Amino acid sequence: MIKKILIANRGEIACRVIRTARKLGYRTVAVFSEADAQAPHVSLADEAVCIGAAPAAESYLKVEALLDACRKTGANAIHPGYGFLSENAGFAQACADAGVIFIGPSPEAIRVMGDKAGAKKEMIKAGVPTAPGYLGADQNDETLIAEGKRLGFPLLVKAVSGGGGRGMRLVHQADELQQAITSARREAQSAFGDGTLMLERLVLDGRHIEIQVFADSHGNAVYIGERDCTAQRRRQKVIEESPSPVVSPAMREAMGRDAVLAAKAINYCGAGTIEYIVDQELNYYFLEMNTRLQVEHPVTEMISGLDLVEWQLRVAAGQPLPLKQDQITLSGHAIEARLYTEDPYAGFAPQTGLINWWRPALALFDGVRIDDGIVEGGTVTPHYDPMVAKLIVHGRDRDDAIRRLIATLDDAPLLGLKHNARFLRDLVDHERFRAGTMTTTLIDQWLIDNESILQRPVAPDEAWLVAAAVFAARQQSLDAGIAAPALRADSVTGFDVPLQCDATKRTLRVQGHRQGRFDVSPSTKAAPHAMRLISHGADQLGDATRGGVLRYELDAVQRRVIAVWCGEELHLVQDAAVFVFSEVSAWPDAGNAVDPSRALAPVAGTVAQVLVKAGDVVTEGQPLLSIEAMKMEMWLSAQAPGVIKAVYAQTGEQVQAKTLLIDIELTATKES
């Protein structure tokens, strides 16, 4: 009998599990690393135990620390969430050996399906369709290269362990294969402790569709519809929806039947997901089984009305499934968007830093759900996944859901560091998404082709006008000795407001009047617009000293926007894009000049590889070292030819953004 549940995870999934456990009357225990001491899941649980330092290998991946936390608190069950140890058969076995209930499948089921090559062999025996590939034990590079050439291109090099896109490389032609094998093996070894690889022929222009399955210890198994996870970047899911826009009732039944067959073939028990790749003719092929709860499980919950975590707890307690297959009904359409702290307009580079504003309650309406694991004032670190929240909506149909998701992205901004909210908004409104013709590689192709959807949004004229008025109101309040930014300007003297947003600088002309009224010109010579600031942060979720929801009137039309002061910068949100305005200094700033003689860390992270040493001659564009942060590997290259003077970083070292890593003595160029 489950008495108390320890959640061996962090972030939004830990919060999610705690809420359902509390609903069912279970007491909960949170675990946290030193970096997560102030994280929301810590205070949400009844008890909490620090299990180690910030790196996951020293905390969330330490089996003995987790079991020790169970002993300290009296927890007799562990929910692993997803990621970390959730698909680690050794962890599930350690729980069993310690007399702790593992809320998930058996160690043997995890072991069978955790080996992608072994899982594929099991599915072939069970009669589940699979894609062509190489599953052999011979892991020599020569063998893998020969087998890859036999299969043909494009193909995937995949780690047989783990998931989440780690240890996976897409290969388009033969001369890319060696590097892909080396890179995938290194990443897999680092992430999962197993560098074994398999090869799989890539289904061109495919769709990624998965089936939610559930089985109990009484021999019952069901499927709960499908999820379409085709919108991906580098094999990482971005948008998930249910039902799929391309799956017919007959196809759903066939995929579901095979998914249940797959689960029963390995005596599965608990929540699981059978993932398929679907080709242009709607033929489906088994990819892998995730032996855990999926990140995207909320879309299934939204269309079924079921709580899948509740089902997990009931099955783990030995109860039969709450429903039979013919009792499961699905209604409407649900879409989930993953909010990542990464910059889509800079190659999706991961971002870290302080969360200055996060108030999702502003966006919560009927049919809207936001699962998050962050809090205003907290910090996003480089140690964990860049996904910080999930925005899930439900509508009567797909158009309803898309419209609601766009509104939710607009109304729930994250301020303080760059993220992908505007990209998500543009993605679900893109003609390819609306038409249901996305493929698993389309976003990556957009990045290669430099498509407009991946061009950084430019602040519209209205944003500049609003920013100038808010800066003017703040300055006049300060001039008048008012501590908090007020919305009543007493000056009638016109003045210039020089502002900068990204690399763009503009000087706007402002004429102040009483009661928050201004005449604002987009330039010193342009005709003015009538602007009135009505209220700023006046509602219960706002803060008069920082701003919040700004209500204004421009040319006789009243609107609202979120505008928040972060120090001396004004963060203004429009259509899910965050535009950061600052006043242009009268002094020149040379701090942003690129110095090719100094190689700086582009982000905070861990040094994965160092390819040069002091004395090496390098050419422009030559790779120097790579940094791994938030499941992404980034390369730092020489910006000019020269000789390496000094290398200050070593493999495995944690570095902060802008840290000096390499000094280069530039090669002098001869004057012509």
Side-chain angles (χ1 to χ4, degrees), residues 582-605:
S582 58
E583 196 159 7
V584 178
S585 171
W587 304 99
D589 180 14
N592 293 324
V594 176
D595 183 354
S597 69
R598 294 162 55 85
L600 308 180
V603 296

Side-chain angles (χ1 to χ4, degrees), residues 351-400:
Q351 307 291 305
T352 59
L354 180 68
I355 299 168
N356 280 308
W357 174 277
W358 174 245
R359 305 187 183 185
L362 289 168
L364 293 180
F365 297 95
D366 289 344
V368 176
R369 166 178 165 180
I370 298 178
D371 289 7
D372 64 357
I374 56 174
V375 65
E376 192 172 302
T379 301
V380 176
T381 73
H383 303 292
Y384 314 115
D385 193 280
M387 191 191 75
V388 293
K390 303 182 304 195
L391 289 72
I392 313 105
V393 298
H394 181 261
R396 184 188 65 181
D397 54 29
R398 193 166 186 260
D399 286 341
D400 254 5

Side-chain angles (χ1 to χ4, degrees), residues 588-648:
D589 180 14
N592 293 324
V594 176
D595 183 354
S597 69
R598 294 162 55 85
L600 308 180
V603 296
T606 303
V607 177
Q609 287 188 85
V610 180
L611 301 184
V612 295
K613 62 183 182 300
D616 285 354
V617 176
V618 296
T619 59
E620 183 176 354
Q622 180 177 332
L624 304 175
L625 56 75
S626 67
I627 293 178
E628 186 179 277
M630 296 178 167
K631 301 170 77 172
M632 184 174 180
E633 188 176 70
M634 285 154 290
W635 283 93
L636 194 61
S637 300
Q639 300 302 302
V643 178
I644 302 297
K645 289 174 59 178
V647 178
Y648 304 111

Side-chain angles (χ1 to χ4, degrees), residues 41 111 122 126 131 159 243 246 311 332 407 446 491 569 575 603 612 642 652:
H41 74 282
R111 190 173 293 111
E122 289 292 328
V246 302
W311 276 40
W446 284 344
S491 171
E569 296 179 334
D575 297 335
V603 296
V612 295

Side-chain angles (χ1 to χ4, degrees), residues 448-670:
I448 294 170
D449 295 341
N450 203 25
E451 290 286 336
S452 59
I453 193 172
L454 288 169
Q455 300 299 308
R456 191 177 301 281
V458 176
D461 284 346
E462 185 166 334
W464 286 92
L465 296 173
V466 172
V470 174
F471 267 91
R474 186 188 201 217
Q475 186 57 52
Q476 290 181 351
S477 298
L478 295 174
D479 289 346
I482 302 172
L487 294 181
R488 190 170 68 90
D490 294 321
S491 171
V492 294
T493 304
F495 53 93
D496 293 338
V497 179
L499 296 179
Q500 179 169 351
C501 181
D502 292 325
T504 303
K505 297 179 181 180
R506 292 173 64 174
T507 299
L508 297 92
R509 185 71 175 172
V510 177
Q511 178 82 28
H513 302 283
R514 292 183 180 277
Q515 298 179 338
R517 295 181 182 274
F518 299 88
D519 289 331
V520 185
S521 301
S523 68
T524 55
K525 297 181 179 179
H529 294 263
M531 172 79 70
R532 179 166 67 96
L533 302 181
I534 301 169
S535 63
H536 196 184
D539 64 12
Q540 59 181 351
L541 294 171
D543 179 346
T545 62
R546 296 188 57 213
V549 178
L550 169 67
R551 294 194 62 83
Y552 66 94
E553 182 179 274
L554 177 63
D555 296 335
V557 177
Q558 290 190 14
R559 296 186 176 91
R560 67 172 184 164
V561 70
I562 292 178
V564 177
W565 288 104
C566 299
E568 298 301 310
E569 296 179 334
L570 179 69
H571 291 230
L572 193 149
V573 185
Q574 198 159 44
D575 297 335
V578 181
F579 300 111
V580 180
F581 291 91
S582 58
E583 196 159 7
V584 178
S585 171
W587 304 99
D589 180 14
N592 293 324
V594 176
D595 183 354
S597 69
R598 294 162 55 85
L600 308 180
V603 296
T606 303
V607 177
Q609 287 188 85
V610 180
L611 301 184
V612 295
K613 62 183 182 300
D616 285 354
V617 176
V618 296
T619 59
E620 183 176 354
Q622 180 177 332
L624 304 175
L625 56 75
S626 67
I627 293 178
E628 186 179 277
M630 296 178 167
K631 301 170 77 172
M632 184 174 180
E633 188 176 70
M634 285 154 290
W635 283 93
L636 194 61
S637 300
Q639 300 302 302
V643 178
I644 302 297
K645 289 174 59 178
V647 178
Y648 304 111
Q650 57 186 358
T651 302
E653 182 182 353
Q654 297 281 328
V655 296
Q656 296 300 313
K658 305 300 182 184
T659 300
L660 176 62
L661 303 179
I662 297 176
D663 265 329
I664 304 174
E665 183 177 345
L666 301 181
T667 303
T669 57
K670 296 180 180 180

Side-chain angles (χ1 to χ4, degrees), residues 317-335:
Q319 300 176 24
L321 294 178
L323 297 175
K324 298 184 183 301
Q325 189 66 62
D326 60 4
Q327 295 175 309
I328 295 172
T329 59
L330 309 175
S331 65
H333 198 98
I335 306 178

Side-chain angles (χ1 to χ4, degrees), residues 51-121:
I51 53 172
E58 300 176 33
S59 51
Y60 296 105
L61 294 174
K62 289 178 66 176
V63 173
E64 188 52 42
L66 293 166
L67 294 176
D68 186 55
C70 284
R71 289 188 284 269
K72 288 178 179 177
T73 60
N76 74 329
I78 283 182
H79 193 299
Y82 51 71
F84 293 135
L85 294 169
S86 62
E87 295 182 282
N88 187 300
F91 178 50
Q93 186 62 57
C95 289
D97 294 343
V100 174
I101 298 168
F102 180 77
I103 302 174
S106 68
E108 181 57 28
I110 297 174
R111 190 173 293 111
V112 170
M113 301 310 276
D115 182 328
K116 291 183 176 62
K120 199 167 178 180
K121 292 175 183 176

